[in-house]
Amino acid sequence: MKLYHCAMTRSVRALWALEELGLDYELHTMPFPPRVLEKSYKEINPLGTVPYLIDGETEISESCAICHYLAEKYGDGNLLVDKSHPEYGAFLNWLYYSDATITFPQAVMLRYSVLEPDERKSAQVVEDYKGFFLGRLRKLESALENRKYLCAERFTIADICVGFSLIFAKNILNIEEAFTPNIARYYEHLSKRPAFITATKGKL
Ligand SMILES: N[C@@H](CCC(=O)N[C@@H](CS)C(=O)NCC(=O)O)C(=O)O
């Protein structure tokens, strides 16, 4: 199994899941953005994005799908919530929410504050999408009231997928307002997991 990775990007989700599951894997780490700095990567993943997992005939480019695939295929059910569980729907919702709803506005912020050339940077876009992100995060703050984990009272890949969005907010975009009491407590204990530490090694 081979994971194409860039430090402190969504590929942290995949790396964190590999580590939680204790799997053997080959890691290919590239400079960001690989589309520009490692052009040959587009022959492997035409989107040019990370993560990208190759496992035999299987190739996956979505970070949350990689976590789901690894947990389904190689986990013993520990990192998943079973269909029969009352929180199964909530579990799926957190997986999709993590990238489509809360990482998306952060990616726009990164683009218009860091990645674009100076003449295309936009404080207005960054501010607007920060507000958008913080509004969408309220659902997480209230869901974490009296809870250590998002679903089924134990650590699952929903915590990995949402946890990465918090890594992004804290360490890349420095959105301090995101760390309201329940989210701050949740992030604090996620960040102590050995697999979290390995997946973010030396970058926080
Ligand atoms: N929805 C995809 C998004 C992948 C994505 O856009 N990754 C970013 C890094 S966080 C990337 O590779 N950007 C570089 C580019 O678009 O060239 C996922 O969850 O994996």
Side-chain angles (χ1 to χ4, degrees), residues 11-32:
S11 57
V12 165
R13 286 185 178 126
L15 188 53
W16 186 355
L18 284 163
E19 286 290 324
E20 292 281 354
L21 290 162
L23 300 174
D24 282 335
Y25 59 89
E26 183 186 341
L27 189 64
H28 182 82
T29 303
M30 301 175 288
F32 186 82

Side-chain angles (χ1 to χ4, degrees), residues 96-168:
Y96 290 83
Y97 165 93
S98 71
D99 206 66
T101 299
I102 57 170
T103 307
F104 155 68
Q106 295 190 91
V108 176
M109 288 177 68
L110 183 69
R111 175 167 179 178
Y112 287 95
S113 59
V114 177
L115 301 177
E116 287 287 345
D118 283 350
E119 65 278 13
R120 287 188 47 86
K121 287 190 170 69
S122 167
Q124 185 65 61
V125 170
V126 174
E127 203 49 35
D128 289 352
Y129 278 80
K130 183 178 179 177
F132 202 32
F133 168 68
L134 290 170
R136 290 170 164 207
L137 211 56
R138 283 192 212 117
K139 176 182 167 78
L140 181 64
E141 175 65 15
S142 56
L144 289 169
E145 188 72 32
N146 301 319
R147 271 183 187 254
K148 191 166 174 194
Y149 301 109
L150 282 174
C151 305
E153 296 183 18
R154 57 186 171 73
F155 182 81
T156 68
I157 56 167
D159 299 300
I160 294 179
C161 292
V162 170
F164 168 71
S165 306
L166 300 177
I167 292 174
F168 196 174

